[in-house]
Structures are given as C-alpha cells and as structure tokens.
Amino acid sequence: MTTTPTTAPTSIRGRVARLAHELIVPRQDGCLRDSAVDVAALARLRRGAGRDAAALPDLWGLIDTSPLHSTADGRRQLSERELVRAENALHTALTLWALHQQSRGSRMHRLHSYQRPGGLGAAIRRLMPVGEIDDAVRKRLVRAGTAPDLTALAQRLRDIVTLLRGADIPLDYGLLAGQLYAWQWPDGPAAVRREWGRSFHARLKSDSDSDSRDAGSNPPAAKDDKDAS
C-alpha cells in the first residue's frame, strides 16, 4: 500500500537551502560591486516578492533550478510534487531576498550561525528594543505562521522583509528557502512555526563577526538543521 508522506524529505530540504545560497551569493556580491547585470537582475527579481511563481514567467530564467534535476552523487530523481515545491520555495526566497537587498550597501543574505542567528524569528527579535517584546512586531511573525498557503505566506513575509530592510537586519535565505519547502508539506507549517518560535527566543550572541565571512562563498551543508535559528 502506498502512503502519502506528510513531512518534507530532509535531504531535499537541504538541497533547496544549499541551492538558494549558491544562487544568491554571486548575485549579492555583484550588486555590492554595482554590476549592471546583477543590479538589473535584482530589480527583476524583487518584482516577484509576495507573488505566485507561476504568474511571473519572466523570472524563470533568473532562478536556475537545473541542479534539482541532477542525479549526480547517487541522488534520486525528484518527483513532480517535490520539484514543484522546491521551485516554489526557491522563487519565494530569492524574490524576498531581492526586495531585502535593494539599495543596501551590506549583505542582506547572511548564513546562520550559533553566534549570529540568521533565522526569521531571530531577525524579528532584533527589530525590538533589547530586553523588550514589541507586541505589534511579534504579531507579524504570528500572522506569517498562520498563513493558509504559500502565496499568503510570501505576502506576509514581504511585509516583514520590508521592516528588516529598513533596519539593515540580514536573514539566512538558504535557511528560509528550506523552511518554505518544508512548509508546503501537510505537517510542514506546524514544524516551521516551531522553528521560528525557537529562533525568536534564541539568545542573540555578539555581532562582532563580519558579514563577509558569514555570507561568503562557502555554502551550508546540505542537511536539515531543525534547531537552526
């Protein structure tokens, strides 16, 4: 008897997270160098923030999902359902990053680390005064967590990203892409909400490390870090 999986396959989530990082880093570096090609690509990508991927065929050429079709290193071929959900997650993460990066002089995609949590919950916590909880800001995270579908979630995340951009607070968009992939599975929303909740309450460490080291060319391991902030 065939059973329908209810949670995202861990290895695929990791591949989505890694691919998002690998797609963003060169674009981000190019934008910081004021590369005309990358600045133009950023402008095109950010038009998709909060919108359904299927509605914007103009962006398909900017988000190279071909590595998802690779069977190198013994990887199995992904099912149609897995591919669609992976592509949707990548589209959402990259377009939100493009909105976040617009006109910023520093890297708005930064890898999560224990010392410098880069997840959504931790980023929202950084919008608040030290030692205080801003209920209006916290409710934005709660509202995102209760989105009924990925399109609604993308729209609510767009509002959050706009706040983060204004405060120059970066986010790990690889981690977010993996969470967006997981979100689309039946048990995914509850699991991702738990991750965001842990992230929100995580103790923030020193911000003395440079963004260039955290968001450099070394991609994250292709695994599912359920305790990532």
Side-chain angles (χ1 to χ4, degrees):
M1 184 176 83
T2 301
T3 58
T4 301
T6 60
T7 58
T10 298
S11 61
I12 301 173
R13 172 176 170 168
R15 287 170 64 180
V16 170
R18 183 185 182 96
L19 180 55
H21 173 81
E22 292 173 346
L23 290 171
I24 289 173
V25 166
R27 290 285 187 203
Q28 183 165 257
D29 290 346
C31 288
L32 294 177
R33 293 194 307 269
D34 203 26
S35 160
V37 171
D38 291 307
V39 170
L42 189 79
R44 288 172 61 193
L45 281 169
R46 70 173 176 262
R47 290 200 298 270
R51 300 178 63 185
D52 191 315
L56 295 162
D58 177 56
L59 302 186
W60 295 348
L62 291 177
I63 303 175
D64 180 12
T65 61
S66 60
L68 295 174
H69 298 263
S70 172
T71 55
D73 301 324
R75 294 175 178 174
R76 67 171 176 82
Q77 186 171 355
L78 302 189
S79 69
E80 181 68 17
R81 177 182 297 177
E82 290 166 340
L83 279 170
V84 168
R85 291 175 176 177
E87 290 166 353
N88 287 342
L90 286 168
H91 167 90
T92 303
L94 266 71
T95 54
L96 288 171
W97 162 75
L99 175 67
H100 200 163
Q101 188 64 48
Q102 179 188 9
S103 302
R104 299 295 90 185
S106 58
R107 292 172 172 82
M108 293 296 101
H109 164 58
R110 189 189 72 194
L111 289 180
H112 162 81
S113 67
Y114 177 74
Q115 291 77 19
R116 303 182 72 188
L120 184 66
I124 289 176
R125 186 65 180 265
R126 289 183 64 189
L127 286 168
M128 303 178 185
V130 175
E132 298 180 23
I133 298 294
D134 185 322
D135 203 49
V137 174
R138 182 191 63 81
K139 285 180 179 178
R140 289 181 180 269
L141 179 61
V142 172
R143 187 167 179 266
T146 57
D149 54 48
L150 186 63
T151 300
L153 175 59
Q155 292 167 350
R156 295 175 188 185
L157 289 176
R158 178 190 171 102
D159 293 339
I160 292 172
V161 165
T162 299
L163 293 177
L164 297 177
R165 177 179 172 274
D168 274 328
I169 297 173
L171 197 61
D172 185 336
Y173 278 93
L175 175 60
L176 181 63
Q179 290 170 334
L180 293 171
Y181 175 73
W183 178 278
Q184 298 171 79
W185 292 82
D187 291 341
V192 172
R193 283 194 296 268
R194 286 194 294 272
E195 291 181 29
W196 289 347
R198 286 196 300 269
S199 173
F200 181 82
H201 292 290
R203 179 182 177 185
L204 298 180
K205 300 297 183 179
S206 169
D207 275 348
S208 61
D209 294 339
S210 68
D211 284 349
S212 59
R213 188 185 74 180
D214 284 343
S217 58
N218 293 328
K223 63 180 181 180
D224 179 10
D225 184 356
K226 292 184 179 296
D227 291 322
S229 294

